[in-house]
Amino acid sequence: LVRKSVADSLGTGGTAADELVNVVEHVVRGAIEASEQVGTGLTLSVRSVAKGIVSGVHDVGGDVVAASFETMRAIVRVAAALGADIGTVARHAVGALIEASGELGADATQVGSRSVEGAIKAAGDVSNMAVCTVRDVLVGIAAGLGQTIQAALPQGAVAPQHGAVRAPAAKTH
């Protein structure tokens, strides 16, 4: 259902960045809110939504890597707004996107890297605690993807010698 909704919304050549962002945001919000209302397992729903989005984008010849980034940004934002455990949600969604990339013949390393970047970027818009939570959960995935987490952290974040990352002081809004 998600795959078809995305493919239908984007149409042929669905690579326009603004169009992709709008479709992903709309699909993620609707699917996650629906799963919350009916009591379906959020992590299962997130996995299905993530895979459906990139599959739909792939179906219309769109950019699966860009879709992975936008999917994670939307998933983390919506999960945070609903008060869900964004670390768990992010881990399951990134895993699903990497899995989907393999099924679609896309570059799993690029999809994984951009997915982690999208999750961290969205977490940075939530709070420094959210960045730490997402970073800590995704560090195992990112270890196999090079220095993705460090590159995606908000400016001012410091990576100590042992590889852990400290976030800058808390936001004041």
Side-chain angles (χ1 to χ4, degrees):
L1 182 60
V2 169
R3 182 178 191 163
K4 182 165 178 23
S5 295
V6 171
D8 290 348
S9 296
L10 290 176
T12 304
T15 56
D18 290 339
E19 184 180 3
L20 176 62
V21 171
N22 291 334
V23 169
V24 168
E25 186 80 33
H26 176 74
V27 169
V28 166
R29 183 165 301 282
I32 291 178
E33 287 175 353
S35 74
E36 285 286 302
Q37 289 173 359
V38 284
T40 324
L42 184 59
T43 55
L44 180 60
S45 297
V46 165
R47 286 187 59 78
S48 298
V49 167
K51 288 179 87 170
I53 289 170
V54 296
S55 297
V57 168
H58 178 268
D59 289 351
V60 296
D63 185 342
V64 172
V65 175
S68 298
F69 177 83
E70 294 303 336
T71 298
M72 287 309 304
R73 284 184 55 207
I75 285 173
V76 169
R77 278 196 306 263
V78 172
L82 293 172
D85 177 348
I86 61 171
T88 300
V89 167
R91 183 180 70 242
H92 286 282
V94 168
L97 290 168
I98 292 170
E99 185 179 307
S101 68
E103 294 168 4
L104 300 170
D107 184 327
T109 301
Q110 286 185 342
V111 167
S113 294
R114 292 296 286 162
S115 298
V116 169
E117 289 171 12
I120 291 174
K121 179 155 179 54
D125 294 339
V126 174
S127 70
N128 287 327
M129 171 100 44
V131 171
C132 291
T133 299
V134 170
R135 178 209 60 221
D136 290 348
V137 168
L138 296 179
V139 81
I141 293 171
L145 301 172
Q147 297 298 317
T148 302
I149 286 180
Q150 182 59 39
L153 285 172
Q155 285 189 326
V158 178
Q161 296 279 16
H162 56 76
V165 179
R166 279 190 301 256
K171 292 184 178 179
T172 57
H173 25 122

